[in-house]
Amino acid sequence: MSKLHVTALINGDEVEFLCEPDQTLLSVLRDELNLTGTKEGCGSGDCGACSVTVGERVFCSCLMLAVEAEGKEIRTIEGMAEGDKLHPLQQCFLEQAALQCGFCTPGFLVAAKNLLDRNPDPTESEVRYWLAGNLCRCTGYDKIVRAVLDTAKEIRQADGS
Amino acid sequence: MQFANPDTVESAVNLLATAKGESYVLAGGTDLIVQMQAGLKSPDLIVDIKNIEEMTSITADNGGYRIGAAVCGAEIFEHAGLKADWPGVVEAIDLIGSMQVQSRATPAGNLCNASPAADSVPAMIAADAKATIAGPNGRRTVSVLDIPTGPGANSLAAGELIVSIQLPARKLRSGDAYLRFIPRTEMDIAVVGVAVNLSVDEKGICTDARVGLGAVAPTALLVEEAGSALVGTEVDDAALETAAEAVRAVCRPIDDKRGTAEYRIEIAGTLLIRTAKIALQRATG
C-alpha cells in the first residue's frame, strides 16, 4: 500500500505529511506530527476528546481520514495559545478549575472556542448543547459550562461590545 | 485501500462501477469510518464525494430545494430558506449526534446507512422527498421511502450513489414537524420517531397529510392510514386519536435496551398526536 502525500495548513503552518489511505487525521496528528494535545478517547466519535477545527467547523479527528485534510485549514489545541499567552478560555479553565484529569480538556477548549468564534454571547443552554459531544468523566459539566460563559463575557467586555 | 476524490458525478460513478472488491462512498464518514475502525468494513476503495460541486451545495429547485448528498447537517441547519419551509426536516436532521457529528454527517448518508432509528428519514418520508441516484445506466429519481430496505441495507445497485435529495415546494397553509422519544435530552438514538407533514384549506380542514414513522420496524414507514385519518377533519382530538391508532397498528418494533415493543407502540401513538399538533400550528400560524 503506497502512502499518500498530503499538504494542509495546521495551526497556521503549512505542513506536509505521508499517510495511509485509511489512516485517521487523529492518528496522523498524534503519531506522525507529534501533536499529542489532541486525545483519543473512544475512537468512534462519541467523546469529543479528539476535537479539532477544520475550516470553520469542529470535527472529531477520529472520524476524518487524514487524506481528507488536503488543502484544509486545521486547528488543534496546540494552536490556541499565542506563544506563552494562553487563550482566555484556557486561562479561565485554569483559574476556575474546570478540569481534573485534563484528558477531555483540549477537546472542550477547541469546541468551546469554535462556539465563541460563531456566537460571542451564547446562553447556558446553547453552551450545553454545543458541548454535548464532549464527554467529561471527572469534573462534571457545571464548572466547564460556567468557565465558557465567563470567558464569553470577558471577551465581550474586552472587545467593548 | 485506494482513496479517490473525483470532481464530477460521472467519474464517481465510473470509479464505483469498475471497482473490484468492497467500495464505499464517503460523505461525512460518521458511520463508515466508525465501521472501518471497528473492523466491520474493510474497503478496497473509498470515493470521497465532497469534491463534487453538485453534491456539496443546496440549491433552489422548482420552488423547493435540492440538497447535495455531501451537505452536512450543520449547513442545513444554517440555511434560512430550508428552515423556514421545512422546519420538521431540519429539526429531525439537527437531532442527530453532536456538533462534531453535525459538521460531517449528511441526511443522504443517514438514508443509505438505513438505521431503522435514523431521525431524518421519517421526516423526509413525510415531506415526500425524492432522491436522485446516479449510476452506470444514468440517473433515476426515487422516493426516499424506497431507499432503505432493512437495517443497514439499501436499494442502491452496484455503482450507484445518491447525488441529491429534493424537498418539494412548501404548499400554502402547510407545515411539518418531527418528534422523537429518547430517555434523555440530547445525544441518543430514537426509541420512536414520528414526522407529520400536513396542509389545511382556508377553513382549516386538512387537505393532505403524510406521516413518517421511525424505530418501530426494520425500516422507516409511511403510514398512509394515519394521514387519511386526518384528511377532511380539523385535526381535532377525535381525528388525532384515530390517526394515533393507525400508527400503533403498523408498529412492528423489537424489544431492546431502549424500550420494549409494547412501550414503543404506545409511545408512537402519543408522539403522533403531539407531532401533528405542531405541524398544524405551523400550517395555520
Side-chain angles (χ1 to χ4, degrees):
Chain A
M1 190 152 50
S2 63
K3 289 202 172 192
L4 302 171
H5 179 262
V6 176
T7 307
L9 202 64
I10 301 182
N11 299 326
D13 296 327
E14 191 174 290
V15 175
E16 293 181 56
F17 60 82
L18 293 172
C19 66
E20 301 290 347
D22 59 357
Q23 201 173 355
T24 63
L25 177 63
L26 172 63
S27 159
V28 165
L29 289 173
R30 290 183 55 83
D31 304 334
E32 316 286 341
L33 302 177
N34 235 6
L35 294 169
T36 53
T38 303
K39 303 302 182 196
E40 176 165 22
C42 65
S44 56
D46 295 305
C47 79
C50 67
S51 296
V52 299
T53 52
V54 180
E56 292 176 346
R57 298 200 189 280
V58 59
F59 285 20
C60 285
S61 57
C62 74
L63 288 192
M64 176 174 166
L65 298 179
V67 63
E68 292 182 73
E70 174 65 41
K72 296 286 191 307
E73 186 181 350
I74 291 159
R75 297 201 83 88
T76 70
I77 188 63
E78 285 87 351
M80 194 175 283
E82 286 178 35
D84 289 340
K85 190 173 179 293
L86 294 179
H87 185 276
L89 273 168
Q90 292 173 305
Q91 191 63 42
C92 197
F93 268 55
L94 272 180
E95 284 167 7
Q96 303 197 6
L99 68 152
Q100 281 182 51
C101 86
F103 191 84
C104 69
T105 311
F108 267 103
L109 287 167
V110 167
K113 180 174 183 297
N114 185 246
L115 169 63
L116 298 190
D117 287 347
R118 290 163 169 272
N119 178 1
D121 191 9
T123 64
E124 182 180 332
S125 284
E126 284 169 335
V127 173
R128 286 184 186 274
Y129 275 104
W130 195 275
L131 298 178
N134 292 82
L135 303 186
C136 169
R137 301 286 83 153
C138 50
T139 313
Y141 300 99
D142 282 345
K143 284 184 153 189
I144 293 170
V145 170
R146 231 174 294 146
V148 174
L149 288 167
D150 287 352
T151 308
K153 195 173 169 188
E154 189 189 310
I155 294 174
R156 287 198 308 276
Q157 282 168 349
D159 291 349
S161 53
Chain B
M1 187 192 104
Q2 264 196 307
F3 175 89
N5 56 350
D7 57 10
T8 64
V9 172
E10 290 64 33
S11 50
V13 167
N14 197 34
L15 281 160
L16 291 167
T18 56
K20 292 184 177 61
E22 273 186 66
S23 52
Y24 296 100
V25 172
L26 172 66
T30 53
D31 290 308
L32 177 62
I33 296 174
V34 176
Q35 290 159 357
M36 285 165 60
Q37 296 294 317
L40 299 171
K41 283 185 178 162
S42 313
D44 297 294
L45 169 69
I46 280 184
V47 178
D48 183 354
I49 57 171
K50 293 189 292 296
N51 208 21
I52 303 172
E53 201 189 337
E54 185 181 358
M55 297 174 84
T56 52
S57 50
I58 302 171
T59 50
D61 178 65
N62 285 326
Y65 294 95
R66 184 176 286 267
I67 303 170
V71 175
C72 71
E75 190 175 340
I76 291 167
F77 188 74
E78 290 160 10
H79 193 283
L82 270 174
K83 232 173 167 176
D85 285 358
W86 292 101
V89 173
V90 173
E91 69 200 357
I93 294 167
D94 184 51
L95 284 172
I96 300 167
S98 59
M99 268 325 296
Q100 286 86 340
V101 167
Q102 283 289 317
S103 299
R104 292 273 282 172
T106 67
N110 206 212
L111 189 60
C112 290
N113 194 58
S115 160
D119 287 301
S120 72
V121 179
M124 292 194 285
I125 288 172
D128 202 12
K130 305 279 192 284
T132 293
I133 296 167
N137 300 319
R139 292 188 179 210
R140 61 192 180 99
T141 298
V142 302
S143 167
V144 296
L145 185 62
D146 298 328
I147 304 269
T149 52
N154 65 54
S155 61
L156 270 64
E160 287 191 322
L161 79 170
I162 294 184
V163 176
S164 60
I165 288 170
Q166 292 97 256
L167 290 169
R170 171 51 77 197
K171 292 181 192 168
L172 205 61
R173 288 184 300 273
S174 71
D176 72 328
Y178 175 79
L179 289 178
R180 71 173 178 188
F181 176 74
I182 55 172
R184 38 203 288 196
T185 54
E186 172 74 342
M187 300 290 290
D188 208 343
I189 292 169
V191 176
V192 183
V194 177
V196 176
N197 179 36
L198 57 78
S199 313
V200 295
D201 65 16
E202 58 281 359
K203 289 177 188 139
I205 305 295
C206 180
T207 52
D208 57 82
R210 285 174 68 90
V211 174
L213 182 60
V216 290
T219 64
L221 304 172
L222 170 69
V223 193
E224 288 177 3
E225 301 80 359
S228 313
L230 300 176
V231 172
T233 75
E234 291 178 325
V235 194
D236 49 49
D237 288 351
L240 286 170
E241 259 325 314
T242 313
E245 275 315 306
V247 162
R248 291 186 180 115
V250 299
C251 292
R252 290 172 280 137
I254 55 169
D255 287 318
D256 70 8
K257 63 185 173 187
R258 296 192 181 85
T260 61
E262 186 187 3
Y263 183 69
R264 286 186 146 112
I265 292 169
E266 179 60 29
I267 292 293
T270 307
L271 275 187
L272 176 278
I273 294 172
R274 294 182 186 176
T275 313
K277 284 180 176 173
I278 299 170
L280 180 66
Q281 196 191 352
R282 287 175 178 166
T284 54

